[in-house]
């Protein structure tokens, strides 16, 4: 097996392992009975009358809560395993190309997936998030990996402009912040789900898909705080990445800021995230809308990663698709 | 009452109203919500700059857009769609944001300055209204000396107050660095903008295509393209000359992996050698020389009807990643009888050419796929007649003037392009020849001086230095009070929205009062179930 084949095999293994992990988390998420108890308490607070339906489903569940928790633990082990396989795949690429592994869009996207999952595992290890939410993290990361397949490129040598230690500094910062912000975006979405779930419950309205997923989510306030903390952590990193990029632009292109499409959209993302941080401290209604800004920010990041690479032409274009 | 007002009395009232009016607007402008809206407006306004070609990036692309959309383009141009980042509407947004920022920073600076010097405020009479509150039992052994020592060691700012009724309060506060960082961060944004503005006024740049063995000196006439800031005196540009000794491009698997331009520079009577590479500019007294591109120079010799020869070194413009390049050879002053000095009819000769670095004659394709010079050929179309060079209009050096062909003043000689390799010649019907002597390389150099750059960089570093504590540090207060009745109370207050206050205050209380037992059950905040 050549290095390239080994790297690709590890990559495919990663996707399969994450898919298995996702399934295990889903079992825990659906059948661990402790979570419905929380929801029941919430519903009772809301004053609705049909409190028992969810609990009934849980008691009749084909999988016992203990087994469900076992599945969750398996999911966590698989997540670690898959992340190790992903890291190994990247390292294998480094060894056979003999260069830093951020040379084209595929490699960049894979890096974002790794950064996202490492962030997730770190949060779980610190006890900041319940394990069963790994369902959403593995889902998001697997989607990212799936997208990367569509832009798969044979690893080749780097063009001269990329041959610089600034690729390590700038691109690593960009990848790390994109990965962390991915998880931040997941929490912003979960928060909004839970919030509207709570609202419907207290209004006594029926809960339909996808809102019924929110039943077992942690408290909306806790999700919001976590969203904020992740963004507070990622924002300086994003800032640093942009600054490092402009230092590199000065060296490679002769000018530190060229308003090249990639720079324009990085600037837009930065401004949107700054707006998110402000919204959170500018009063009640702005704070309530802040999670939407976080999601908008990530949409801009994704746009910059995909559309700007594929559609716009600019100085960054040579990085190879 | 109003009727009896003298003008002198009325005036202050008008002035007051005027001031009130501005104060209201000023408050609006400096409200955080306005900043939020302006930030989002700025993000939105930046978008068109990525969808329309920008003059600051490529005037060629803008011209191309005008060709493709002849009706729409002039309208877009009136809306500054091709100069978004210098347009009045983009500038208006960021200037408003800057004003808002200054209006926000100044009062906060004042408040923060006072807070830094003021005594930490006393505890409220009813401490139980605070988010963290504990009443210690007498066995906890809260000692005032120890409290001071512990708080000092943990770097709290403290104020001790002894009230007349015997109450003693130690008030402590920590995390002033948050606001310091925040102010530094917001101030450095202004700093960066000043740097950018300085740059646009004081910077200049020039782009120059330089073939191997050629030299040029730094003045504007020598540049193919240049730009000057409003404050730059073009006669005062630094004096230096550059020679390109050799250019070397390395290729691996058909892709370039390294460019290396070996240059000699001469400044202030001193000469030096430098290996100019991408990412590795040459600095001559604060002016940077960058290698931003490269290409091929074709060398050809034309032999005219009288046997006179002319040799041209012509730079070609690459059209793709494989460096298939286009260019033209123009001979306006050939076919002149050396004895009589008489110019022949249809004397001028021109060639449109494509240079293919690696021609593969086993395929029907003219264009190659390999940028390296493995089998270079020229594909030529010859024209005779009037090249139209004398009319004073600027024209491309990379192609023969199409208008002259259209008007019939230039006549195409060969119907099919003729492909010749190095050493070969193309013979025209009149017996004259064009010989392909070989290929050289050229480097595209950019010379740029931007005194705003270091200011911007310093601003960016300060911005990061401010951002970290501005986001990560928590500002909080802690009080401990010895009441006359012998009870001791502690309380804590978060001044930012963060959790962990209870835990921290409990630890602090326990350090001050060894007998203190924090209430064991913490509420489960994160919903963690492990
Ligand atoms: C270019 C424009 C601006 C940018 C990029 C920006 C960025 C930021 C960032 C990233 C933060 C940290 C958020 C946090 O502490 O949670 C912040 C905080 C803050 N900004 Fe701005 N800002 C800008 C303009 C303004 C303006 C015009 C105002 C005043 C109206 C303002 C007022 C504040 C305040 C009061 C905070 C502190 C919030 C806190 O302590 O939590 N900012 N800003």
């Amino acid at each position: 097996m050549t290095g390239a084949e080994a790297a690709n095999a590890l990559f495919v293994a990663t996707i399969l392992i994450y898919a298995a992990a996702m399934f295990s988390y889903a079992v825990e998420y659906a059948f661990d009975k402790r979570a419905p108890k929380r929801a029941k308490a919430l519903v009772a607070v809301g004053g609705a009358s049909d409190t028992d339906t969810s609990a009934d489903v849980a008691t009749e569940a084909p999988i016992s809560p203990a087994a469900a928790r076992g599945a969750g633990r398996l999911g966590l082990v698989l997540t670690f395993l898959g992340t190790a396989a992903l890291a190994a795949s990247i390292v294998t690429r480094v060894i056979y190309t003999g260069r830093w592994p951020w040379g084209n869009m595929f490699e960049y996207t894979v890096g974002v997936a790794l950064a996202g999952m490492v962030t997730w595992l770190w949060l779980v290890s610190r006890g900041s998030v319940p394990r069963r939410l790994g369902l959403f993290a593995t889902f998001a990361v697997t989607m990212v990996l799936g997208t990367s397949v569509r832009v798969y490129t044979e690893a080749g040598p780097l063009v001269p402009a990329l041959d610089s230690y600034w690729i390590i500094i700038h691109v690593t910062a960009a990848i790390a912040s994109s990965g962390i912000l991915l998880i931040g975006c997941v929490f912003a979405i979960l928060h909004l789900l839970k919030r509207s779930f709570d609202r419907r419950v207290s209004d006594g309205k029926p809960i339909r898909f996808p809102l019924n997923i929110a039943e077992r989510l942690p408290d909306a306030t806790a999700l919001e705080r976590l969203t904020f903390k992740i963004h507070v952590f990622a924002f300086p990193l994003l800032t640093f990445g942009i600054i490092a990029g402009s230092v590199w632009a000065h060296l490679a292109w002769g000018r530190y800021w060229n308003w090249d499409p990639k720079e324009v959209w990085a600037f837009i993302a930065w401004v949107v995230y700054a707006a998110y941080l402000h919204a959170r401290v500018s009063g009640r209604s702005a704070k309530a809308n802040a999670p939407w800004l976080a999601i908008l920010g990530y949409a801009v990041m994704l746009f910059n990663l995909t559309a700007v690479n594929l559609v716009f032409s600019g100085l960054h274009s040579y990085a190879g698709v | 009452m109003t009727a009896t007002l003298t003008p002198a009395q009325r005036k202050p009232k008008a002035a007051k109203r005027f001031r009130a009016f501005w104060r209201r607007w000023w408050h609006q402008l400096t409200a955080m919500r306005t900043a939020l809206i302006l930030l989002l407006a700025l993000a939105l306004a930046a978008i068109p700059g990525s969808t329309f070609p920008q003059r600051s990036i490529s005037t060629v692309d803008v011209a191309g857009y005008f060709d493709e959309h002849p009706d729409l383009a002039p309208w877009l141009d009136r809306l500054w769609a091709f100069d978004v980042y210098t347009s009045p509407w983009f500038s208006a947004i960021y200037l408003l944001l800057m004003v808002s920022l200054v209006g926000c920073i100044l009062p906060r600076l004042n408040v923060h300055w006072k807070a830094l010097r003021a005594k930490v405020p006393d505890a409220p009479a009813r401490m139980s209204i605070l988010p963290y509150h504990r009443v210690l039992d007498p066995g906890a052994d809260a000692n005032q000396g120890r409290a001071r020592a512990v708080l000092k060691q943990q770097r709290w700012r403290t104020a001790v107050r002894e009230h007349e009724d015997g109450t003693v309060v130690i008030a402590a506060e920590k995390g002033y660095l948050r606001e310091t960082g925040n102010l530094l961060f917001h101030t450095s944004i202004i700093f960066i903008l000043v740097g950018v503005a300085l740059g646009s006024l004081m910077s200049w740049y020039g782009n120059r295509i330089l073939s191997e063995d050629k030299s040029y000196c730094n003045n504007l006439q020598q540049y193919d393209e240049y730009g000057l800031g409003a404050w730059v005196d073009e006669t005062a540009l630094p004096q230096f000359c550059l020679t390109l000794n050799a250019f070397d491009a390395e290729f691996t698997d058909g892709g370039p992996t390294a460019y290396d331009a070996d240059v000699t520079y001469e400044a202030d009577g001193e000469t030096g050698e430098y290996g100019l590479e991408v990412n590795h500019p040459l600095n001559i007294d604060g002016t940077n020389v960058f290698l931003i591109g490269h290409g091929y120079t074709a060398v050809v010799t034309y032999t005219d009807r009288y046997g006179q020869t002319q040799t041209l070194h012509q730079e070609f413009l690459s059209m793709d990643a494989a460096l298939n390049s286009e260019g033209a050879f123009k001979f306006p002053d050939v076919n002149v009888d050396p004895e009589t000095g008489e110019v022949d009819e249809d004397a001028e000769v021109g060639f449109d050419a494509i240079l293919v670095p690696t021609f593969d004659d086993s395929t029907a394709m003219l264009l190659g796929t390999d940028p390296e010079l493995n089998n270079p050929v020229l594909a030529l179309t010859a024209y005779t007649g009037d090249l139209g060079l004398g009319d004073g209009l600027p024209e491309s050096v990379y192609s023969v003037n199409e208008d002259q062909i259209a008007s019939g003043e230039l006549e195409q000689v060969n119907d099919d392009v003729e492909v010749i390799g190095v050493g070969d010649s193309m013979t025209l019907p009149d017996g004259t020849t064009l010989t392909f002597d070989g290929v050289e390389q050229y480097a595209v150099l950019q010379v740029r001086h931007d005194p705003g750059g270091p200011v911007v960089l310093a601003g960016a570093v300060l911005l990061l230095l401010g951002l970290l504590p501005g986001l990560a540090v928590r500002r909080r207060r802690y009080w401990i009070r010895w009441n006359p009745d012998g009870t001791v109370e502690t309380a804590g207050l978060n001044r930012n929205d963060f959790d962990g206050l209870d835990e921290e205050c409990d630890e602090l209380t326990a350090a001050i009062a060894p007998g203190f037992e924090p209430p064991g059950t913490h509420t489960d905040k994160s919903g963690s179930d492990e």
Side-chain angles (χ1 to χ4, degrees):
Chain A
M1 191 150 63
T2 67
E5 283 164 356
N8 289 345
L10 281 163
F11 178 77
V12 172
T14 305
I15 295 189
L16 295 177
I17 296 171
Y18 278 165
M22 206 179 354
F23 181 74
S24 309
Y25 286 131
V27 169
E28 177 179 36
Y29 194 83
F31 298 113
D32 178 8
K33 224 172 94 194
R34 285 181 300 172
K37 255 192 254 152
R38 298 170 68 86
K40 207 167 145 188
L42 242 176
V43 170
V45 169
S49 53
D50 56 342
T51 42
D52 282 338
T53 45
S54 58
D56 285 347
V57 173
T59 25
E60 290 164 18
I63 295 175
S64 73
R69 283 195 292 283
R73 272 192 289 277
L74 176 67
L76 186 61
V77 170
L78 286 173
T79 311
F80 271 106
L81 209 68
T83 308
L86 189 57
S89 162
I90 294 175
V91 169
T92 313
R93 260 173 177 263
V94 172
I95 292 170
Y96 87 86
T97 54
R99 62 159 171 80
W100 201 251
W102 321 135
N104 55 46
M105 193 171 153
F106 168 74
E107 293 175 349
Y108 185 94
T109 317
V110 172
V112 171
L114 180 69
M117 208 43 119
V118 168
T119 308
W120 173 261
L121 286 173
W122 183 69
L123 287 172
V124 175
S125 315
R126 285 182 76 232
S128 310
V129 289
R131 183 183 60 212
R132 64 178 185 281
L133 299 190
L135 172 60
F136 304 103
T138 43
F139 176 74
V141 169
T142 309
M143 293 297 282
V144 170
L145 285 175
T147 314
S148 74
V149 176
R150 310 206 57 162
V151 293
Y152 176 74
T153 323
E154 283 293 331
L158 293 181
V159 299
L162 295 183
D163 180 15
S164 160
Y165 57 85
W166 282 99
I167 195 174
I168 305 176
I169 301 169
H170 166 62
V171 186
T172 306
I175 285 177
S177 52
S178 303
I180 299 169
L181 289 167
L182 170 69
I183 300 298
C185 177
V186 167
F187 276 106
I189 295 171
L190 294 182
H191 163 72
L192 288 172
L193 273 177
K194 181 70 175 188
R195 202 169 75 188
S196 64
F197 173 85
D198 288 351
R199 198 176 305 132
R200 288 190 78 92
V201 167
S202 68
D203 291 353
K205 290 196 188 136
I207 309 290
R208 280 188 223 95
F209 182 81
L211 272 192
N212 54 358
I213 294 176
E215 188 179 340
R216 276 155 228 215
L217 288 175
D219 169 47
T221 316
L223 285 170
E224 200 279 334
R225 293 174 93 82
L226 205 55
T227 309
F228 179 60
K229 278 187 189 165
I230 295 171
H231 284 88
V232 158
F233 188 78
F235 187 73
L237 203 57
L238 178 69
T239 311
F240 172 75
I242 295 173
I243 295 173
S246 59
V247 172
W248 190 11
H250 164 77
L251 293 173
W253 302 328
R255 198 169 163 190
Y256 62 85
W257 194 267
N258 297 279
W259 291 111
D260 151 81
K262 199 102 208 172
E263 291 172 348
V264 172
W265 285 92
F267 172 76
I268 294 173
W270 190 80
V271 168
V272 171
Y273 280 119
Y276 165 73
L277 295 179
H278 277 94
R280 213 175 163 275
V281 289
S282 338
R284 197 184 270 272
S285 73
K287 184 174 172 181
N289 287 320
W292 289 107
L293 284 174
I295 294 170
L296 178 67
Y298 209 71
V300 173
M301 297 286 283
L302 283 180
F303 184 81
N304 203 5
L305 171 58
T306 55
V308 172
N309 277 17
L310 301 173
V311 179
F312 295 84
S313 80
L315 293 163
H316 277 85
S317 305
Y318 56 28
V321 164
Chain B
M1 175 85 187
T2 9
T4 60
L5 276 179
T6 64
Q9 279 169 307
R10 221 175 294 134
K11 220 180 192 170
K13 203 173 173 193
K16 218 178 194 171
R17 222 184 292 140
F18 181 75
R19 255 186 288 141
F21 172 81
W22 282 109
R23 196 172 301 134
R24 206 167 56 238
W25 275 97
W26 180 250
H27 272 294
Q28 275 296 320
L29 187 60
T30 57
M32 189 104 121
R33 179 164 302 239
T34 311
L36 185 59
I37 291 166
L38 287 173
L39 276 174
L40 290 174
L42 189 69
L44 223 86
I47 295 176
S50 70
T51 56
F52 299 113
Q54 297 295 298
R55 288 207 174 84
S56 61
I57 300 172
S58 165
T59 47
V60 178
D61 288 354
V62 176
Y65 194 91
F66 268 82
D67 282 347
E68 271 175 50
H69 310 272
D71 298 327
L72 187 60
W75 280 102
L76 288 173
D77 202 17
R78 260 165 240 161
L79 299 171
W80 295 274
F82 307 111
D83 305 281
V84 166
Y85 305 106
T86 49
S87 69
W89 44 272
F90 191 79
S91 312
I93 296 173
Y94 80 68
L95 286 177
L96 274 178
L97 196 56
M98 286 309 121
V99 173
S100 163
L101 198 54
V102 172
C104 193
I105 291 171
L106 291 179
R108 278 171 66 195
L109 257 180
N110 189 26
V111 169
H112 189 49
W113 177 246
K114 282 188 184 142
L116 278 176
R117 294 185 312 166
K119 238 174 136 179
V120 183
D122 202 349
R126 275 178 48 218
M127 283 169 80
S128 58
I129 58 169
L130 291 168
Y132 168 84
H133 178 245
R134 305 270 187 258
V135 181
L136 314 192
D137 50 61
D141 184 25
N143 176 293
Q144 287 179 20
R146 191 160 49 230
R148 278 188 227 195
V150 166
L151 289 169
K152 189 172 175 196
Q153 190 211 345
Q154 298 192 9
R155 306 214 273 158
W156 290 77
R157 276 204 14 199
T158 53
V160 183
R161 289 184 178 83
E162 295 180 14
H163 294 272
E164 282 172 8
D165 63 358
T167 308
V168 178
V169 180
I170 301 183
E173 182 159 359
K174 200 171 168 172
Y176 294 84
L177 197 57
R178 181 187 182 89
E179 185 66 1
T180 310
N182 215 307
L183 286 169
L184 177 62
F185 168 82
H186 284 83
T187 311
S188 44
I189 291 179
I190 295 175
F191 205 78
I192 288 174
L193 248 101
V194 169
V196 171
L198 273 183
S200 77
L201 291 169
M202 296 171 69
S203 69
W204 58 270
Y205 80 94
N207 289 346
R208 167 76 197 213
I209 289 180
L210 197 61
S211 290
E212 287 171 305
D213 292 327
K214 292 280 195 302
S215 307
Y216 87 97
C217 292
N218 183 37
N219 66 62
L220 293 185
Q221 287 70 40
Q222 297 271 349
Y223 287 107
D224 303 310
E225 193 199 335
Y226 63 82
L228 286 183
W231 289 358
V232 181
D233 174 5
E234 63 176 277
T235 59
L237 298 186
Q239 307 271 309
F240 60 83
C241 298
L242 284 169
T243 307
L244 179 65
N245 304 319
F247 183 86
D248 185 33
E250 264 175 48
F251 297 93
T252 311
D253 302 336
T257 51
Y259 302 134
D260 187 359
D262 174 12
V263 297
T264 303
Y265 62 94
E266 221 185 302
D268 291 333
E270 280 180 42
T271 59
E273 297 253 332
Y274 194 81
L276 195 60
E277 290 172 41
V278 186
N279 289 313
H280 188 52
L282 160 65
N283 186 325
I284 306 174
D285 292 334
T287 299
N288 285 304
V289 183
F290 301 91
L291 175 61
I292 60 166
H294 78 123
Y296 290 124
T297 304
V299 186
V300 292
T301 303
Y302 178 71
T303 310
D304 73 6
R305 298 169 197 163
Y306 301 94
Q308 307 282 348
T309 60
Q310 271 190 27
T311 298
L312 269 186
H313 295 251
Q314 183 60 52
E315 288 103 10
F316 272 55
L317 199 63
S318 71
M319 304 184 289
D320 56 28
L323 293 184
N324 294 301
S325 310
E326 57 184 346
F329 307 108
K330 299 179 189 180
F331 299 95
D333 46 4
V334 289
N335 297 317
V336 181
D337 188 330
E339 277 162 32
T340 64
E342 225 169 86
V343 182
D344 287 13
E345 212 176 301
D346 288 342
E348 297 185 5
V349 185
F351 299 84
D352 269 331
I354 289 175
L355 173 69
V356 180
T358 300
F359 177 62
D360 184 355
D361 43 18
S362 68
T363 72
M365 301 285 292
L366 170 63
L367 298 186
T369 53
D370 179 359
E372 216 169 344
L373 287 176
N374 287 324
N375 179 26
V377 297
L378 282 176
L380 296 160
T381 309
Y383 301 89
T384 58
D386 180 1
L387 288 167
L389 294 180
D391 57 13
L393 294 174
E395 69 159 66
S396 167
V397 296
Y398 300 110
S399 66
V400 170
N401 191 331
E402 282 174 28
D403 294 340
Q404 297 296 103
I405 301 170
S407 69
E409 294 187 61
L410 258 186
E411 204 170 319
Q412 187 168 340
V413 172
N414 53 325
D415 291 335
D416 299 322
V417 288
E418 185 154 341
V419 177
I420 59 173
V422 175
D424 296 341
S425 300
M426 171 179 183
T427 306
L428 275 59
D430 63 1
T432 62
T433 59
L434 185 81
T435 308
F436 183 12
D437 299 326
V439 182
E440 293 172 347
Q441 306 208 63
Y442 69 79
V444 187
L445 303 182
Q446 181 168 92
V447 179
R448 182 180 285 273
H449 176 70
D450 182 356
V455 180
V456 174
L457 183 61
V461 171
L462 289 179
L463 179 138
L464 259 184
L465 286 181
L467 191 54
L468 293 172
L471 285 172
V473 171
R474 298 177 297 126
R475 179 113 170 244
R476 63 268 192 208
R477 287 195 184 140
Y478 176 83
W479 292 272
I480 180 161
R481 181 165 75 193
W482 287 264
N483 294 318
D485 63 5
T487 58
V488 180
E489 283 177 275
T490 66
L493 174 68
N494 244 345
R495 305 201 60 203
N496 307 112
D497 187 12
F498 269 101
D499 38 44
L501 179 74
D502 288 4
E503 288 81 352
E504 184 183 19
C505 290
D506 274 343
E507 272 175 34
L508 202 53
T509 308
I512 291 168
F516 168 71
E517 292 231 353
T521 48
H522 293 305
T523 40
D524 178 11
K525 278 195 191 122
S526 64
S528 170
D529 45 2
E530 276 305 279

